């Protein structure tokens, strides 16, 4: 047994590790078993944990199977990292259409959480670009599914939190690009009204939009970042700069009221001065934290939570404003505070998180009861707004909020693999 924690480092639990090494043997390996598959453990909470039980680790299933540089179709094993796909495919003029804020996640993990990126308003979520996948179930069956093949299995598995079976391999449609460069633009905003005006005005002309919000200002001031691919045909470029590491876990969180206030003020002012257009390498711009290894140690031995919600656009101004006020009043939060509008495109997955509306994501150092009280307040706002919380980031949402936020839950449960369960499924589904 080995102690394993997820990205939030809230707890480390004993698990029996069972690496998946050979895609032709996965079906035999999981047949009759009880467990959960884990990718690169970049989920913040308990969706990728199975305390006291088995973890089938997929990171050794890291081979490309077939790539057609003419069509941009890639078939690969489920443990391949998005970074490795992009570094291979860029040389041929292709990149993944949708990636999250880190590319150190596996294809299986990206499908199982149906991850989204900064371009949701144009390109939807990861599952929109999956052409097919093969799923090994603990009853010994292997299901080949896709949007047009066994679509029920596909819709349950995209965003299905690993609970429908083990994704062994997948076929993805990549997207043509001229090269790695982006034209970026930074616009400071003073409050939420300005944020929504910028979002409305940018979605048609900019492929990527996302904002940093000063969670201690209460009024929602922040920085609006937007970007488009630059038409510079250079395919080999790697980003400049060295990677760094947070070398150890400090005895207390380095993120506290004092450091946060100083950081937010400086960050806002510096970017206000630098506002405007520039050229950036997509890796540096899109995955800024991937070069700071183990940054999650910064929050000290008690770890941290991420709280990510989405609320409908009609009530977005009010609900986000209320959440920011509650956060300011609590004096908690971190500099990782992200605000983004989602597009109207419906997600393919029954349990996918993205829905039309506005999403707010914030990290919070774990301060025990004080943090729990703040989350109760935020839950009440999300509930009243008719919103939902993102499972990939969650370690504590109440079951009734999960049930009200995901209205296709009963349909999804028909596809559940009875041999698979996670700490999250036991907490939110009861098994
Ligand atoms: C810095 C950072 C930024 C992030 N930004 C974003 C963002 O912008 N948007 C976003 O959507 N998410 C974001 N995330 C969350 C992250 O993208 C997801 O949690 C992702 O699913 C993690 O993938 P993983 O390979 O680490 O999977 P894990 O975290 O190990 O597992 C995630 C889920 O996938 C299941 N799973 C994994 N592999 C398989 C498989 N082969 N078959 C079936 N199920 C499987 C697991 O059982 C689990 O339920 C971010 C995370 C970090 C750390």
């Amino acid at each position: 047994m080995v102690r394993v924690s997820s990205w939030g480092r809230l707890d480390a639990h004993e698990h029996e590790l069972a690496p998946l090494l050979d895609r032709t043997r996965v079906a035999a390996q999981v047949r009759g078993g009880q467990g959960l598959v884990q990718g690169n453990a970049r989920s913040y909470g308990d969706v990728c944990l199975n305390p006291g039980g088995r973890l089938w680790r997929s990171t050794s299933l890291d081979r490309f199977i077939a790539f057609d540089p003419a069509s941009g179709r890639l078939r690969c094993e489920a443990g391949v990292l998005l970074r490795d796909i992009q570094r291979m495919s860029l040389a041929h003029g292709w990149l993944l259409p949708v990636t999250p804020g880190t590319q150190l996640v596996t294809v299986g993990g990206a499908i199982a959480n149906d991850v989204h990126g900064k371009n949701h308003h144009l390109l939807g979520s990861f599952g929109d670009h999956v052409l097919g996948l093969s799923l090994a179930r603990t009853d010994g069956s292997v299901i080949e599914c896709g949007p047009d093949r066994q679509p029920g299995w596909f819709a349950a598995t995209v965003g299905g939190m690993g609970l429908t079976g083990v994704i062994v391999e997948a076929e993805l449609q990549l997207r043509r690009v001229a090269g790695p460069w982006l034209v970026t633009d930074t616009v400071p905003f003073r409050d939420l009204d300005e944020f929504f005006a910028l979002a409305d005005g940018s979605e048609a002309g900019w492929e990527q939009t996302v904002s940093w919000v000063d969670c201690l200002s209460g009024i929602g001031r922040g920085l609006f970042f937007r970007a488009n691919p630059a038409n510079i045909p250079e395919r080999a470029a790697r980003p400049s700069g060295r990677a760094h590491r947070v070398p150890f876990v400090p005895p207390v969180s380095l993120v506290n009221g004092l450091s946060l206030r100083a950081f937010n003020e400086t960050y806002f002012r510096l970017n206000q001065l630098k506002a405007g257009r520039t050229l950036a390498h997509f890796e540096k711009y899109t995955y800024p934290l991937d070069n700071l290894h183990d940054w999650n140690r910064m929050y000290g031995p008690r770890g941290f939570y991420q709280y990510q919600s989405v609320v409908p656009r009609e009530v977005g101004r009010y609900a986000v404003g209320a959440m920011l006020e509650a956060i300011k009043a609590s004096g908690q939060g971190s500099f990782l505070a992200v605000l983004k509008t989602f597009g109207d495109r419906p997600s393919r997955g029954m349990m996918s998180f993205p829905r039309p509306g506005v999403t707010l994501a914030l990290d919070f150092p774990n301060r025990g009861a004080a943090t729990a009280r703040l989350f109760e307040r935020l839950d009440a706002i999300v509930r009243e707004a008719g919103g939902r919380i993102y499972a990939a980031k969650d370690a504590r949402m109440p079951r009734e909020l999960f049930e009200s936020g995901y209205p296709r839950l009963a349909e999804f449960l028909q596809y559940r693999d009875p041999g698979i369960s996670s700490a999250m499924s036991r907490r939110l589904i009861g098994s």
Side-chain angles (χ1 to χ4, degrees):
M1 300 291 267
V2 177
R3 290 174 82 78
V4 178
S5 55
S6 63
W7 194 247
R9 303 184 69 259
L10 288 164
D11 305 291
H13 297 281
E14 301 264 310
H15 288 79
E16 181 202 327
L17 292 191
L20 302 172
L21 300 171
D22 176 350
R23 71 172 180 275
T24 63
R25 292 205 24 84
V26 172
Q29 198 174 341
V30 303
R31 184 186 305 131
Q34 297 275 329
L36 176 76
V37 60
Q38 186 182 71
N40 208 27
R42 257 20 185 215
S43 297
Y44 285 65
D46 56 359
V47 73
C48 61
L49 297 176
N50 184 23
R54 184 174 302 155
L55 272 185
W56 293 299
R57 271 259 172 92
S58 73
T59 43
S60 300
L61 292 178
D62 58 355
R63 296 164 196 90
F64 299 130
I65 299 169
F67 177 59
D68 175 7
S71 65
R73 282 179 168 221
L74 169 73
R75 190 155 188 100
C76 66
E77 295 180 349
V80 171
L81 292 178
L82 305 192
R83 181 199 58 195
D84 296 342
I85 293 178
Q86 307 217 97
R87 288 191 173 172
M88 178 279 292
S89 65
L90 179 61
H92 302 277
W94 300 93
L95 285 177
L96 286 161
V98 170
T99 59
T102 170
Q103 51 176 352
L104 303 177
V105 309
T106 62
V107 167
I111 296 173
N113 275 326
D114 193 15
V115 299
H116 57 272
K118 299 173 178 60
N119 56 8
H120 181 272
H121 56 285
L122 279 184
L123 294 176
S125 48
F126 197 86
D128 286 310
H129 309 279
V130 178
L131 302 170
L133 57 88
S134 77
L135 186 70
R137 308 253 303 164
T138 60
D139 64 4
S141 60
V142 176
I143 293 171
E144 300 291 336
C145 61
D148 307 315
R149 219 172 350 144
Q150 308 238 51
W153 283 102
F154 185 70
T157 301
V158 170
M161 300 167 284
L163 299 175
T164 61
V166 175
I167 302 165
V168 183
E169 51 184 83
E171 187 169 3
L172 310 175
Q173 178 62 60
L174 309 189
R175 179 168 186 247
R176 265 265 176 242
V177 292
W181 300 100
L182 297 171
V183 179
T184 72
D185 188 29
T186 304
V187 189
F189 57 89
R190 278 171 304 190
D191 57 30
L192 288 179
D193 291 328
E194 284 191 11
F195 162 78
F196 280 108
L198 274 165
D200 286 343
S202 303
E203 280 171 8
W206 294 89
E207 283 200 2
Q208 301 194 19
T209 64
V210 73
S211 293
W212 169 81
V213 62
D214 178 353
C215 68
L216 293 184
S217 74
I219 51 168
R221 76 168 178 179
L223 300 159
F224 195 93
F225 302 107
R226 48 192 184 183
N228 271 329
N231 196 13
I232 303 175
E234 179 190 347
R235 294 187 174 171
R238 282 277 173 91
S240 56
R242 282 180 40 210
H244 297 276
R245 180 176 296 276
V246 176
F248 57 88
V249 181
V252 292
S253 170
L254 300 181
V255 181
N256 54 49
L258 212 63
S259 64
L260 184 55
R261 206 165 296 281
F263 176 92
N264 281 7
E265 195 55 39
T266 314
Y267 187 70
F268 184 72
R269 300 255 167 247
L270 275 182
N271 277 283
Q272 216 172 14
L273 292 176
K274 289 196 307 198
R277 293 192 186 199
T278 182
L279 210 57
H281 191 281
F282 82 99
E283 284 196 5
K284 268 196 156 171
Y285 180 81
T286 320
Y287 322 109
L289 287 172
D290 282 359
N291 254 357
L292 181 57
H293 300 308
D294 297 325
W295 62 260
N296 53 347
R297 291 177 170 172
M298 227 165 34
Y299 290 91
R302 298 180 76 185
F304 69 108
Y305 292 91
Q306 183 164 116
Y307 191 99
Q308 181 167 3
S309 59
V310 56
V311 293
R313 185 60 200 269
E314 313 78 76
V315 291
R317 168 73 185 80
Y318 164 77
V320 172
M323 285 194 268
L324 289 175
E325 271 171 33
I327 292 164
K328 182 184 180 203
S330 78
Q332 302 182 64
S334 89
F335 30 82
L336 293 169
V338 175
L339 190 57
K340 157 142 195 72
T341 44
F342 281 150
D344 289 336
R345 181 175 179 148
S347 299
R348 279 179 169 167
M350 293 175 190
M351 301 295 285
S352 293
F353 169 70
R355 51 152 292 166
V358 53
T359 179
L360 175 66
L362 279 127
D363 288 354
F364 293 93
N366 175 18
R367 290 213 231 142
T371 312
R373 274 196 301 279
L374 170 63
F375 289 161
E376 278 169 30
R377 177 73 197 110
L378 301 182
D379 287 347
I381 298 166
V382 173
R383 191 179 294 116
E384 193 192 343
R388 64 170 64 132
I389 290 175
Y390 190 10
K393 311 286 182 76
D394 180 63
R396 43 65 53 197
M397 83 169 108
R399 188 166 170 170
E400 86 2 84
L401 192 51
F402 177 66
E403 288 169 354
S404 64
Y406 292 89
R408 296 182 73 183
L409 176 61
E411 185 188 353
F412 165 72
L413 290 178
Q414 297 168 26
Y415 295 89
R416 176 101 191 257
D417 186 321
I420 295 184
S421 91
S422 62
M424 173 172 278
S425 72
R426 296 194 280 280
R427 181 166 64 81
L428 295 175
I429 302 173
S431 64

